[in-house]
């Protein structure tokens, strides 16, 4: 089954390009550490999901949307290198004037005006899929086009393709220094997506920036470096895996299977990704890993809420099985232990069948109402990813997300109390009431996650 | 891509505008090596086939034929505009873009605003409409004028209102040159205060600039250059040496000063015109930097003022560029943002600078700056990959900061000194439509603005506390 990607705004289009490039590069890689047959099946499955062929050239199953032309033009020409993959020249929509970091402009002006044309482009892409697994929507939540138009389009996709799954890859802005009204734009986006999307996959710029600095040893970090790390993480999640233990067939419905495992309740739909190992290309050939070592570290990253394999707090331990009274425990847990609602572990590479997953089946990692049998699953393939002999990705739904969300809601609320910048939104029909609705919904989400036990 | 139209009014406006077009042409010539008319050029220039008679000869694609500035030139005397038309830039303008008179406004805001305003309203409107018709997506009018004289100040602010009525969707960014305290125009405080009221009411953003600051910056550059520290490494086309060749004059301090203002506009629009990894369109400027409609005065600084000939950026020097941007000696108006309160701050970077450089410098500088309680993280940033001609990198910092207040207070004091004595008032009151109430309303409008800044300054000593959050029934 195929996934149609919708790239929105500057951020979405820059990342979308890197994602397709990473998927393509990996699937063409001859160093798969596996049999030829395995490699071919993997390639075929990747292509079915993310590319279609036209005259022998892989074409990304993507629709590019931006309200100004510069970025899309740049990405189209970058993707036009001979011997690689391409975008469909017709699957793009751009206008002349961007949304100016104004969510209200993206949502209330660009949205209604252009939804039909964009939906037509999306429909054309959908018609080229033999069967549709769902939509992958890449957008930032800080600006105007990705966030505002993105929220509007996700709603439209929900109305028009209610049976197809919608996963939004959202880029969480740096805590400071990108867009001044980013917290307003973020709460408006998140609250709208919470109503219309099936799952929100969150990447924080701050966390990825740190990975670039610490793990990739990049000195002068550019957005390209950040986006490539992000693309690597997404690739390690979405590249094909076997459908079941000891099976040679690749999983056919990537989005559907993923959400079935990870979103057990509509109140909880924020997902995060951790990958291990992650390092610069130059150090890769000199490194070896065992499954035991990787999974031990990954488990500790999970429970201590570390975004990368460095500076992990090894003191954090799961709570003892005997439950203390809920109130007290919540406080304790918030500070240290990251409770999971659901985890999906994806393992790729050599001897993958020998990896011991017991550490992730510990009931203490999960809530009392969803045991490890339901809350944990693992996908595998012996095909190595991106030349890493062994690598693991963990997609999880859990409390990791409380702190950044709480911070954004808090900052937006402080600004809202002074009424600063509100006139920029009311100008385009987003009233104080709309802000209050968003605050209410998100406070609810924060509370729900915080009180997981 | 969007387009902008520059409206240059009065002597100062036209001199600055002239420098701007000279630099804009040179910048696009340096970036666009192929001679093909592209979207970046189209933001400020039309491509016209001059062999075709008439006006409908704009070419949207293909080779550059003849570039015409998207500009309207207005002056109530002929001197400067005639000089432009005889100079090397004559081909980028044509007679359809000009409005001149011969009598001048006599340094009287009322003459510019009321007399010439009414007299030339239709004509101005027609030229503006024409320039708008040549754009397929007009985003912004840049008005360049001075506050102290008659034409720029009076007619310049008159047309702000015209623009607001006629093109409500199009942004109005105003570059206003404020008189220095030793200004030789005796009525400049009157003119400035009367103009301020219009700026308060009808501009989206105002970039205040004062001659004294420009002069000080030029003197400092001259000092470094003549002391031989830079030696032969000063680049030919950099800000230091690019005198306004457009006006056929020898280098005067005013040329260099006008160049700084022209560079400000070029830098301000660079991220909208050229590619970059973090774009900043013009509409993002007011969205991020104007928290309340009236508080739209942005203090700007351009760094570095000079760049050595080396191409690589040693990290130390790059960081110096960021430090200097907050230094009071680098502001284009006499103001000290570091010791006042920030409402918001934008850093627009050009050239080989990456997001990690930006972040490092924000983290480094943040502790030394004070932000208003509800906007503790009020930073907006952009990265444009095309550096200015002759430089490897540069930075424009825009600060919405209470440090503009002293300029306004000083202006009000100078106004009051004249007004108490009713000095020169009759020159104004004899103009039709001009009443005493115009003065009192203007000064109370300015006082209200000062009061807003006072209230913000008063919050400086109050500790920052979080507002109690919404409580949710769980």
């Amino acid at each position: 089954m195929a996934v149609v990607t919708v790239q929105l705004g500057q951020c979405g289009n820059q990342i979308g390009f890197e994602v397709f490039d990473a998927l393509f590069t990996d699937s063409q890689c001859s160093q798969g550490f596996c049999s030829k047959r395995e490699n071919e099946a993997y390639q075929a499955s990747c292509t079915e999901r993310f590319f279609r062929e036209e005259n022998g050239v892989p074409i990304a199953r993507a629709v590019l949307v931006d309200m100004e032309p510069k970025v899309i033009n740049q990405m189209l020409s970058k993707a036009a290198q001979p011997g690689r993959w391409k975008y469909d020249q017709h699957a793009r929509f751009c206008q002349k004037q961007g949304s100016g970091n104004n969510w209200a402009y993206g949502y209330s002006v660009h949205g209604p005006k252009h939804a039909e044309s964009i939906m037509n482009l999306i429909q054309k892409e959908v018609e080229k899929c033999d069967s549709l697994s769902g939509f992958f929507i890449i957008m930032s939540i800080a600006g105007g086009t990705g966030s505002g138009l993105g929220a509007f389009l996700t709603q439209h996709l929900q109305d028009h393709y209610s049976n197809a799954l919608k996963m939004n890859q959202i880029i969480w802005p740096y805590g400071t220094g990108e867009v001044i009204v980013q917290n307003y734009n973020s709460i408006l986006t998140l609250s709208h997506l919470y109503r219309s999307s099936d799952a929100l996959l969150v990447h924080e710029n701050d966390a990825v920036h740190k990975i670039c600095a610490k793990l990739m040893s990049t000195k002068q970090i550019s957005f390209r470096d950040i986006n490539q790390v992000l693309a690597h993480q997404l690739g390690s999640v979405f590249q094909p895996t076997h459908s079941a233990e000891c099976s040679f067939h690749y999983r056919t419905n990537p989005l559907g299977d993923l959400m079935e495992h990870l979103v057990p309740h509509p109140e909880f739909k924020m997902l995060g990704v951790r990958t291990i190992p992650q390092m610069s290309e130059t150090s890769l050939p000199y490194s070896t890993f065992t499954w035991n070592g990787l999974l031990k570290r990954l488990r500790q990253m999970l429970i201590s809420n570390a975004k990368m394999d460095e500076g992990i707090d090894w003191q954090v331990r799961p709570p003892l099985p005997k439950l203390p009274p809920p109130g007290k425990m919540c406080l304790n847990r918030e500070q240290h232990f990251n409770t999971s609602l659901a985890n999906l572990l994806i393992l790729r590479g050599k001897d993958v069948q020998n990896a011991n997953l017991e550490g992730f089946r510990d009931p203490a990692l999960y809530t009392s109402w969803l045991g490890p049998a339901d809350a944990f699953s693992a996908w595998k393939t012996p095909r190595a990813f991106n030349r890493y002999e062994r690598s693991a990705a963990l997609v999880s739904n859990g409390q990791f997300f409380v702190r950044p969300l709480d911070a954004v809601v808090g900052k937006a609320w402080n600004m809202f109390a002074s009424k600063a910048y509100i006139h920029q939104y009311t100008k385009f029909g987003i009233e104080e009431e709309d802000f209050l609705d968003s605050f209410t919904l998100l406070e609810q989400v924060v509370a729900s996650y915080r009180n997981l036990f | 891509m969007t387009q902008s139209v520059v409206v240059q009014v009065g002597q100062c406006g036209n001199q600055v505008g002239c420098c701007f077009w000279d630099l804009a042409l040179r910048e696009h010539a340096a970036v666009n090596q192929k001679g093909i008319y592209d979207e970046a050029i189209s933001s400020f220039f039309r491509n016209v086939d001059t062999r075709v008679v008439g006006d409908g000869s704009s070419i949207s694609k293909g080779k550059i034929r003849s570039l015409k500035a998207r500009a309207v030139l207005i002056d109530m005397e002929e001197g400067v505009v005639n000089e432009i038309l005889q100079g090397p830039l004559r081909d980028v303008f044509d007679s359809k873009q000009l409005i001149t008179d011969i009598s001048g406004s006599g340094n009287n805001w009322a003459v510019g605003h009321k007399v010439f305003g009414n007299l030339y309203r239709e004509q101005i409107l027609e030229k503006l409409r024409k320039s708008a018709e040549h754009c397929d997506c007009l985003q912004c009018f840049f008005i360049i004028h001075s506050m102290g004289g008659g034409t720029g100040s009076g007619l310049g602010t008159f047309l702000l209102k015209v623009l607001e009525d006629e093109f409500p969707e199009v942004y109005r960014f105003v570059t206003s040159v404020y008189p220095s305290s030793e200004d030789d125009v005796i009525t400049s405080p009157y003119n400035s205060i009367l103009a301020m009221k219009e700026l308060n009411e009808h501009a989206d953003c105002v970039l205040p600039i004062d001659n004294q600051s420009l002069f000080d910056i030029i003197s400092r550059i001259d000092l470094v250059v003549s002391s031989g520290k830079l030696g032969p490494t000063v680049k030919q086309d950099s800000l230091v040496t690019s005198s306004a060749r457009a006006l056929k004059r020898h280098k005067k301090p005013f040329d260099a000063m006008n160049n700084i203002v022209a560079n400000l506009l070029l830098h301000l629009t660079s991220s909208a015109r050229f590619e970059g990894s973090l774009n900043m369109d013009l509409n993002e400027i007011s969205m991020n930097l104007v928290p309340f409609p009236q508080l739209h005065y942005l203090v700007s600084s351009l760094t570095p003022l000079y760049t050595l000939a080396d191409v690589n950026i040693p990290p130390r020097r790059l960081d110096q560029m960021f430090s200097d941007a907050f230094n009071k000696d680098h502001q284009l108006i006499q103001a000290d943002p570091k010791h006042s309160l920030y409402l918001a701050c934008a850093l627009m970077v050009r050239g080989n600078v990456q997001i990690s450089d930006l972040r490092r410098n924000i983290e480094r500088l943040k502790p030394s700056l004070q932000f208003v309680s509800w906007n503790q993280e009020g930073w907006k940033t952009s990265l444009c990959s095309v550096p200015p001609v002759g430089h490897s990198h540069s930075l424009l910092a825009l600060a919405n900061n209470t440090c503009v207040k002293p300029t306004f207070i000083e202006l009000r004091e100078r106004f009051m000194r004249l007004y108490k004595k009713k000095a020169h008032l009759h020159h104004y009151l004899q103009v039709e439509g001009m009443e005493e109430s115009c003065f009192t309303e203007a000064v109370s409008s300015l006082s209200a603005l000062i009061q807003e800044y006072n209230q913000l300054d008063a919050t400086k000593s109050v500790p920052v506390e979080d507002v109690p959050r919404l409580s949710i029934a769980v």
Side-chain angles (χ1 to χ4, degrees):
Chain A
M1 289 172 104
V3 176
V4 170
T5 299
V6 183
Q7 313 180 174
L8 283 153
Q10 170 156 33
C11 171
N13 279 294
Q14 285 172 343
I15 290 171
F17 168 81
E18 297 296 347
V19 171
F20 282 109
D21 213 50
L23 293 170
F24 180 82
T25 306
D26 170 57
S27 75
Q28 297 300 306
C29 181
S30 51
Q31 247 179 308
F33 300 102
C34 62
S35 68
K36 197 170 168 233
R37 184 173 148 239
E38 184 74 56
N39 208 36
E40 280 167 3
Y42 180 86
Q43 273 178 12
S45 175
C46 168
T47 305
E48 189 202 3
R49 284 179 184 188
F50 295 105
F51 297 94
R52 56 189 164 83
E53 293 225 331
E54 236 169 60
N55 307 323
V57 180
I59 307 285
R61 297 184 192 276
V63 176
L64 288 69
V65 180
D66 203 356
M67 290 300 109
E68 64 97 39
K70 286 204 298 284
V71 178
I72 286 189
N73 288 340
Q74 210 181 350
M75 295 309 132
L76 285 176
S77 65
K78 275 175 98 170
Q81 281 177 29
R84 294 182 64 80
W85 61 281
K86 282 187 173 48
Y87 281 118
D88 183 342
Q89 293 286 330
H90 303 291
R92 63 160 153 176
F93 182 86
C94 51
Q95 290 291 300
K96 297 195 168 73
Q97 174 159 283
S99 305
N101 290 161
N102 192 337
W103 190 89
Y105 197 68
Y107 186 85
S108 308
V109 179
H110 282 316
K113 202 163 156 194
H114 305 305
E116 199 184 324
S117 318
I118 299 169
M119 291 301 287
N120 281 339
L121 289 178
I122 293 174
Q123 190 182 335
K124 280 200 189 115
E125 205 51 55
V126 169
E127 282 164 4
K128 286 174 187 150
C129 306
D130 289 334
S131 67
L132 178 70
S133 174
F135 298 99
F136 189 56
I137 304 150
I138 311 177
M139 58 199 257
S140 98
I141 58 173
T145 300
S147 73
L149 184 62
F152 191 88
L153 276 183
T154 307
Q155 228 161 290
H156 258 246
L157 287 171
Q158 169 67 9
D159 296 344
H160 287 71
Y161 301 92
S162 49
N163 294 325
L165 291 160
K166 284 148 294 284
M167 177 181 261
N168 293 69
Q169 164 61 55
I170 58 176
I171 309 303
W172 202 266
Y174 287 102
T176 173
E178 265 184 90
V179 172
I180 292 178
V181 287
Q182 63 187 32
N183 299 315
Y184 279 170
N185 291 338
S186 298
I187 60 142
L188 290 163
T189 312
L190 290 170
S191 60
H192 280 74
L193 290 184
Y194 227 82
R195 296 186 190 108
S196 52
S197 175
D198 295 296
L200 312 183
L201 191 58
V202 183
H203 269 98
E204 293 167 81
N205 270 345
D206 277 313
V208 184
H209 194 104
K210 267 188 207 140
I211 292 176
C212 287
K214 303 272 182 187
L215 301 184
M216 313 300 283
S217 311
T218 315
K219 288 226 167 61
Q220 201 187 19
I221 301 163
S222 66
F223 272 108
R224 178 123 208 241
D225 298 319
I226 289 172
N227 294 342
Q228 280 172 348
V229 166
L230 223 147
H232 172 86
Q233 296 206 337
L234 290 176
S236 67
V237 172
F238 286 111
Q239 283 292 43
T241 50
H242 286 170
S243 58
E245 202 77 30
C246 312
S247 156
F248 293 109
H249 293 289
Y250 274 91
R251 210 166 267 282
T252 55
N253 186 358
L255 286 182
D257 292 351
L258 196 133
M259 286 191 228
E260 187 191 319
H261 288 300
L262 287 168
V263 190
H265 190 288
E267 183 78 25
F268 303 94
K269 45 172 91 163
M270 315 289 312
L271 310 179
V273 182
R274 291 175 177 81
T275 57
I276 189 169
Q278 194 147 25
M279 61 182 64
S280 68
E281 268 181 43
T282 45
S283 27
L284 191 54
Y286 307 102
S287 314
T288 48
F289 297 97
T290 63
W291 283 119
N292 244 347
L294 287 177
L295 294 178
K296 197 175 165 209
R297 301 184 74 84
L298 188 58
R299 179 178 185 271
Q300 194 62 25
M301 280 164 70
L302 170 70
I303 64 175
S304 69
N305 195 12
K307 297 285 158 47
M308 62 173 170
D309 179 20
E310 190 174 307
I312 300 172
D313 181 356
W314 288 92
Q315 302 304 315
V316 179
R317 294 257 177 280
L320 294 169
K322 256 201 176 162
L323 289 174
K328 199 178 157 200
M329 185 194 65
C330 288
L331 261 177
N332 253 336
R333 285 191 163 196
E334 190 188 325
Q335 277 159 10
H336 302 294
F337 179 73
N338 173 38
T339 305
S340 299
L341 195 61
N343 284 316
L344 168 63
L345 183 61
I346 299 163
L347 306 176
R348 302 172 184 278
K350 229 170 165 179
D351 310 323
V352 73
Q353 67 283 357
N354 300 335
N356 180 355
L357 310 178
E358 281 316 303
F360 290 91
R361 293 205 171 97
D362 180 353
L365 263 53
Y366 301 95
T367 63
S368 56
W369 49 274
L370 203 66
D374 296 314
F376 177 73
S377 45
W379 295 355
K380 297 172 190 170
T381 171
R383 169 44 157 90
F385 175 66
N386 210 4
R387 285 177 293 164
Y388 286 72
E389 198 180 11
R390 293 180 178 86
S391 67
L394 181 71
V395 193
S396 63
N397 186 346
Q399 288 179 319
F400 74 95
F401 176 68
V402 168
R403 211 174 298 162
L405 179 62
D406 190 56
V408 162
V409 173
K411 288 179 198 170
W413 184 249
N414 275 346
M415 190 181 265
F416 185 70
S418 77
K419 301 280 182 276
Y421 296 101
I422 298 294
H423 72 282
Q424 311 268 22
Y425 293 82
T426 49
K427 201 158 68 183
F428 300 111
I430 298 299
E431 306 295 333
E432 285 181 30
E433 286 289 298
D434 300 302
F435 278 88
L436 281 173
D437 286 349
S438 296
F439 281 117
T440 314
L441 189 144
L442 293 178
E443 292 284 10
Q444 186 67 56
V445 174
V446 171
S448 303
Y449 269 104
R450 186 172 278 157
N451 295 321
L452 274 183
F453 66 93
Chain B
M1 196 177 283
T2 60
Q3 295 85 36
S4 297
V5 171
V6 175
V7 187
Q8 40 199 74
V9 196
Q11 180 179 351
C12 171
N14 278 291
Q15 279 168 345
V16 171
C18 188
C19 289
F20 170 79
W21 293 112
D22 181 37
L23 291 179
L25 274 177
R26 276 199 269 161
E27 178 165 291
H28 284 290
V31 176
N32 184 320
Q33 303 283 353
K34 288 184 185 149
I36 302 294
Y37 182 69
D38 60 16
E39 294 215 325
I41 298 181
S42 80
S43 58
F44 278 121
F45 294 95
R46 293 196 294 139
N47 191 21
V48 174
D49 191 344
T50 43
R51 291 168 303 180
V52 182
V53 188
D55 207 52
S57 53
S58 293
I59 318 159
S60 60
K61 286 212 169 74
K63 274 181 83 102
I64 292 174
R65 300 279 183 188
S66 175
L67 293 179
K68 293 287 178 200
R70 298 188 192 278
V72 177
L73 286 63
I74 304 172
D75 203 356
M76 291 297 106
E77 14 176 82
E78 296 183 307
V80 178
V81 172
N82 279 346
E83 213 174 324
I84 294 171
L85 293 181
Q86 283 153 20
L89 280 177
R90 59 185 173 272
D91 290 335
V92 296
F93 306 108
D94 62 46
S95 56
K96 297 190 200 80
Q97 293 168 269
L98 316 172
I99 296 173
T100 53
D101 196 289
I102 46 168
S103 54
S105 302
N107 289 327
N108 188 332
W109 182 89
V111 173
H113 199 89
K114 305 278 179 187
V115 179
F116 288 128
N118 289 326
L119 197 60
Y120 284 99
R121 188 179 199 283
E122 288 311 310
Q123 216 178 318
I124 292 173
L125 203 48
E126 190 208 309
K127 313 255 169 193
L128 290 171
R129 282 199 191 119
K130 200 86 207 157
S131 68
E133 278 167 23
H134 289 309
C135 303
D136 61 348
C137 184
L138 173 58
Q139 187 173 34
C140 193
F141 285 107
F142 285 97
I143 297 100
I144 313 175
H145 74 144
S146 74
M147 299 290 282
T151 305
S153 164
L155 193 54
T157 54
F158 173 84
L159 78 95
L160 261 186
K161 176 79 170 58
V162 173
L163 289 172
E164 186 180 34
D165 292 343
E166 200 68 17
F167 307 94
E169 312 272 289
V170 183
Y171 286 88
R172 296 169 301 281
F173 281 32
V174 189
T175 308
S176 302
V177 180
Y178 281 69
S180 48
S181 42
E182 290 101 52
D183 192 70
D184 50 4
V185 177
I186 199 140
T187 50
S188 71
Y190 283 161
N191 298 332
S192 306
I193 298 275
L194 290 162
M196 274 293 287
K197 178 169 183 276
E198 308 297 313
L199 293 184
N200 280 347
E201 289 170 6
H202 308 299
D204 287 302
C205 277
V206 177
L207 302 163
I209 286 157
D210 74 45
N211 277 327
Q212 191 58 47
S213 304
L214 298 180
F215 187 80
D216 292 346
I217 288 170
I218 295 298
S219 311
R220 252 197 318 282
I221 296 174
D222 282 346
L223 199 69
V224 178
V225 172
S226 60
S227 73
K229 272 189 201 150
L230 293 182
T233 51
V234 175
K235 287 211 165 186
Q236 271 312 304
D237 287 329
S238 65
L239 185 78
V240 192
T241 47
S242 62
S243 64
R245 290 177 300 191
L247 290 170
K248 286 192 302 181
R249 282 196 209 150
H250 294 293
K251 199 180 166 193
K252 283 182 185 174
F254 266 109
D255 291 338
M257 287 160 66
N258 291 337
N259 251 313
I260 295 181
V261 184
N263 267 290
L264 165 67
L265 290 180
L266 225 43
H267 198 131
L268 188 72
T269 56
S270 60
S271 187
R273 287 179 290 141
F274 301 116
E275 284 177 356
S277 61
L278 188 59
N279 290 336
M280 180 160 170
D281 204 1
L282 295 172
N283 52 6
E284 293 171 30
I285 295 173
S286 60
M287 180 69 196
N288 283 282
L289 294 176
V290 182
F292 297 100
Q294 292 252 314
L295 301 174
H296 56 231
Y297 294 86
L298 307 179
V299 175
S300 46
S301 68
L302 283 166
T303 53
L305 296 175
Y306 38 80
T307 301
L308 299 175
D310 48 348
V311 189
N312 293 323
I313 312 173
R316 250 194 91 210
R317 186 167 305 134
L318 183 64
D319 287 4
Q320 191 61 42
M321 169 175 91
F322 286 93
S323 304
D324 286 348
F326 296 88
N327 188 321
K328 67 175 169 30
D329 293 338
H330 287 75
Q331 309 304 317
L332 302 191
I333 188 165
Q334 293 192 303
D336 187 3
K338 233 179 175 166
H339 296 100
S340 306
L341 185 69
Y342 272 94
L343 309 186
C345 182
L347 298 178
M348 302 183 72
V349 188
R350 300 184 65 175
N352 180 22
V353 178
Q354 299 299 346
I355 183 69
S356 57
D357 302 317
L358 257 177
R359 304 207 59 73
R360 181 181 65 246
N361 280 290
I362 289 179
E363 290 305 323
R364 187 170 63 86
L365 293 160
K366 222 164 76 173
S368 64
L369 307 167
Q370 203 174 2
F371 276 76
V372 68
S373 63
W374 40 263
N375 208 8
Q376 288 286 302
E377 275 144 8
W379 296 87
K380 165 73 184 170
T381 53
S382 74
L383 295 167
C384 170
S385 55
V386 178
V389 181
H391 290 233
S392 62
H393 56 272
S394 70
L395 166 68
L396 166 63
L398 296 172
N400 193 339
N401 189 299
T402 57
C403 68
V404 284
K405 194 178 68 176
T407 301
F408 297 158
I409 290 177
E410 196 201 309
L411 210 52
R412 187 174 59 180
E413 280 166 5
R414 289 169 51 208
F415 172 91
M416 289 316 286
R417 276 203 290 276
L418 283 180
Y419 189 65
K420 268 183 198 144
K421 291 183 281 182
K422 308 274 178 204
H424 306 284
L425 212 54
H426 62 283
H427 294 302
Y428 289 81
L429 296 178
Q430 71 192 20
V431 173
E432 201 190 322
M434 209 48 204
E435 322 246 333
E436 274 224 55
S437 62
C438 297
F439 286 83
T440 50
E441 280 166 20
V443 80
S444 62
S445 160
L446 181 61
S447 293
L449 182 66
I450 292 171
Q451 189 52 31
E452 288 206 44
Y453 284 113
N454 279 337
Q455 280 167 3
L456 288 163
D457 271 335
T459 65
K460 263 201 292 190
S461 48
V462 182
V464 176
E465 269 176 39
D466 284 345
V467 182
R469 294 263 288 267
L470 276 182
S471 47
I472 298 294
V474 183

